[in-house]
């Protein structure tokens, strides 16, 4: 008998094992701490109290019955701490003897990998189980202690978590940085120059004035320099030619996959992991059964097996030629603290499965993510790209001053891995536009240049950007907060609790989120901080390796946490937020209507509750009148699955809906309603014309 977590995985594994095996799915955890109480005895070495929840009793009963008739029971749960803990809980719940149980681990669901795993079974690793158990108990101690404080002081249905609270703190503190930011003016000066007997020009940037860095902070400072530069003599003083090699990015780990899928595909971390799970567990790709398409997607290791590397090298030679194959297989350093090197990076189970071959069998999202993983992996095994670089220094001498200007450029000499894939740039980086200018090939040192024009440009320093999925995951990884399996859950939780909202791709804290953060950071500053959380992750890693006992780790934490909790319970001021008034009277009793929070978010109710039980839905208006009935306003709504759409406030009398967000700008052609088509374009609902958003915002719709 073989037990895995999901039915899809069971189907794929069962196909490869064949007759003589029964493969069943536990559908995740089968045992957990009781929901109705703390379920951790702080006076008895933090002994946990587990139970099989009602919804899993039928599953456990079936597994017990099947296990009685099985010669051996293989636990084939996922190859991480969570999977190890599920295996242990299964062993305990199904009540099989330890000597009857065998643990098998595979990082890809292919026939070869499964046969290999079953021939090298082992016992359940209790060090890994203890590490996961310690994490679960720590989270329960924090959550079940702090959440009641938030219910009392803020509002019901809130929660606090050991890791989610640190992520919320990062977002709130970034928002405050933005609010406190004061923009500073600065200028740059470009000179457009033309060599003698040349038609083409190039631009060089002013970098020195009389050997010093110029401070160009006002127009008054810039004007005399421009006047002086008009009279200067421009000469090429130095030409430096060189070569730059650009290595490919490492194959994906969990965090980099989530970041790149966010930047390139617009996927949330949660969606990325859900799709990756489907690709890992197996899909029917036309060979008569399910096939695992990628390796395990929760990993922090960049390792690649020798067999996979050899397959990739053969594929590169056959399809791109020997020039694109590095002399030795590349080795990538894992940046993540305490990475589990026994794992592999995320890669296709076979590089010969080209994305185009699988496209007919995958939905759009599956294809996009598989293609991204395939391209990144293949590129990581290819030769570096080679650039010819050129750096120019131009001296500009006037009667009064000597100036230095620079221009640099590069040209791809050999594309290498770029023929397959190029990593997208970080959304929060502002590339220097003058970094890669076109430079005429005929330039020579000592050659005089003709000044065509001077280009002064005013700039203002920008505040730090709000976090996106990509940048927040990157920050969590860099601080050592959480582990690969937790990133998506962290981001989902702080949204589900109403602590943050996503506008576009950016996270913005809500009033509730700010209040919760301020309470937690004031009373639990030693716990809700990045250093403490990262140190706790290191302690859990040491439990996983057998260097520490899980009870000692939990006890040390609780000795810090308990006095802070007692102090907060005693001293926390009356900070309960007043219910926000809507500005209308209850139509049934005349009392003020107020905004409350329920299981599904905001709603409006009577302030005289429970005597008056009048309620109405909360409508999030976006400042646009309905184009259909013209009397209603467009409001943001959500489907049962949480997808945002836009409809009329007069529903059901008016049936207008749109998946795309309407804007208050009228169509330049027909004055109809424009909706946001993508981050650069808007489209008219009436005449279907499209326009560049930046043109409309600049007031020049005709330019679009």
């Amino acid at each position: 008998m073989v037990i895995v977590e999901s039915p899809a995985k069971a189907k794929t594994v069962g196909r490869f094992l064949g007759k003589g095996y029964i493969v069943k799915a536990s559908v995740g955890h089968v045992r957990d701490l009781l929901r109705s109480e703390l379920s951790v005895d702080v006076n008895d070495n933090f002994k946990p109290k587990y139970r099989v929840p009602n919804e899993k009793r039928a599953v456990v009963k079936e597994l017990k019955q099947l296990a009685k008739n099985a010669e051996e029971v293989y636990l084939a749960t996922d190859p991480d701490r969570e999977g190890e803990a599920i295996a242990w809980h299964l062993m305990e719940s199904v009540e099989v003897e330890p000597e009857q149980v065998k643990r098998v681990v595979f990082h890809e669901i292919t026939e070869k990998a499964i046969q290999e795993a079953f021939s090298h079974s082992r016992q359940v690793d209790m060090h890994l189980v203890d590490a996961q158990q310690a994490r679960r108990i720590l989270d329960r101690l924090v959550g079940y202690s702090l959440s009641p404080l938030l219910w009392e002081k803020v509002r019901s249905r809130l929660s606090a978590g050991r890791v989610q609270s640190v992520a919320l703190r990062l977002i709130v503190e970034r928002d405050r940085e933005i609010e406190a930011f004061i923009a500073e003016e600065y200028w740059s000066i470009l000179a457009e120059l033309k060599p003698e007997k040349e038609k083409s020009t190039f631009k060089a940037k002013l970098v020195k004035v009389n050997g010093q860095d110029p401070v160009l902070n006002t127009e008054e400072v810039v004007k005399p320099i421009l006047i002086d530069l008009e009279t200067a003599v421009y000469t090429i003083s130095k030409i430096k030619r060189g070569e730059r090699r650009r290595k490919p990015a490492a194959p994906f780990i969990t965090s980099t996959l989530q970041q790149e899928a966010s930047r390139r595909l617009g996927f949330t971390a949660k969606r990325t992991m859900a799709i990756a799970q489907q690709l890992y567990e197996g899909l029917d790709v036309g060979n008569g059964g399910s096939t695992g398409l990628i390796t395990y997607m929760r990993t922090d290791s960049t390792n690649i097996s020798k067999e996979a590397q050899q397959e990739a090298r053969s594929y590169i030679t056959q399809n791109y030629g020997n020039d694109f194959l590095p002399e030795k297989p590349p080795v990538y350093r894992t940046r993540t603290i305490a990475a589990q090197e026994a794992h592999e990076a995320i890669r296709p189970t076979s590089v010969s499965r080209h994305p185009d071959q699988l496209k007919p069998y995958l939905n759009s999202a599956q294809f996009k993510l598989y293609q991204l993983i395939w391209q990144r992996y293949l590129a990581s095994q290819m030769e570096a790209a080679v650039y010819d670089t050129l750096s120019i220094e131009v001296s500009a001498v006037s009667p009064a001053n000597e100036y230095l200007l620079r221009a640099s450029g590069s040209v791809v000499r050999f594309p290498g891995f770029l023929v397959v894939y190029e990593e997208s740039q970080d959304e929060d980086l502002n590339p220097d536009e003058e970094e890669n200018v076109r430079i005429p090939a005929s330039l020579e040192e000592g050659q005089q240049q003709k000044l065509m024009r001077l280009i002064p440009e005013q700039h203002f320093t920008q505040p730090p950007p709000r976090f996106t999925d990509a940048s927040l995951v990157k920050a969590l990884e860099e601080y050592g907060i959480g582990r690969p399996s937790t990133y998506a859950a962290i981001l989902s939780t702080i949204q589900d609790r109403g602590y943050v909202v996503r506008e576009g791709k950016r996270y913005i804290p809500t009033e509730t989120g700010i209040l919760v953060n301020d309470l937690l950071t004031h009373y639990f500053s030693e716990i809700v901080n990045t250093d403490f959380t990262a140190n706790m992750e290191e302690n859990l890693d040491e439990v996983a390796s057998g260097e520490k006992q899980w009870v000692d780790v939990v006890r040390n934490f609780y000795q810090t946490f308990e006095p802070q909790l007692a102090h907060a319970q005693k001293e926390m001021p009356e900070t309960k937020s007043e219910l926000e008034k809507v500005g209308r009277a209850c139509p049934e009793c005349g009392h003020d209507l107020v905004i409350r929070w329920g299981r599904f978010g905001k709603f409006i109710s009577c302030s005289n509750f429970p005597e008056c039980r009048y309620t109405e839905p909360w409508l999030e208006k976006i400042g646009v009148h309905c184009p259909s009935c013209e009397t209603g306003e467009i409001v943001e709504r959500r489907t049962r699955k949480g997808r945002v759409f836009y409809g009329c406030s007069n529903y059901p009398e008016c049936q207008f809906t749109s998946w795309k967000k309407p804007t208050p700008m009228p169509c330049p052609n027909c004055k109809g309603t424009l909706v946001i088509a993508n981050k650069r374009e808007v489209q008219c609902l009436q005449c279907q014309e499209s326009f560049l958003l930046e043109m409309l915002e600049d007031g020049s719709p005709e330019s679009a």
Side-chain angles (χ1 to χ4, degrees), residues 186-216:
Y186 70 99
W187 289 71
S188 62
I189 299 175
L190 297 175
E192 185 174 358
L193 305 170
K194 185 174 81 69
E196 297 172 354
K197 299 178 183 178
E198 274 276 354
K199 292 183 179 180
S200 57
T201 63
F202 70 99
K203 295 173 185 175
K205 184 178 182 179
L206 176 65
V207 293
K208 298 283 184 183
V209 178
N210 296 323
Q212 302 296 317
D213 294 335
V215 180
L216 308 176

Side-chain angles (χ1 to χ4, degrees), residues 52-105:
V52 176
N54 293 337
E55 63 269 20
K56 287 298 179 72
R57 289 184 178 178
V59 173
V60 171
K61 184 178 180 181
E62 182 189 15
L63 294 177
K64 273 186 184 180
Q65 191 62 42
L66 291 170
K68 288 179 182 178
N69 302 319
E71 292 181 14
E72 294 173 319
V73 177
Y74 287 90
L75 302 177
T77 49
D78 285 344
D80 54 17
R81 294 178 197 169
E82 186 83 15
E84 205 73 22
I86 292 174
W88 177 67
H89 284 296
L90 279 167
M91 186 172 69
E92 295 283 309
S93 303
V94 177
E95 298 174 359
V96 287
E97 296 300 323
E99 56 270 17
Q100 188 188 1
V101 172
K102 295 184 177 181
R103 174 81 167 111
V104 290
V105 173

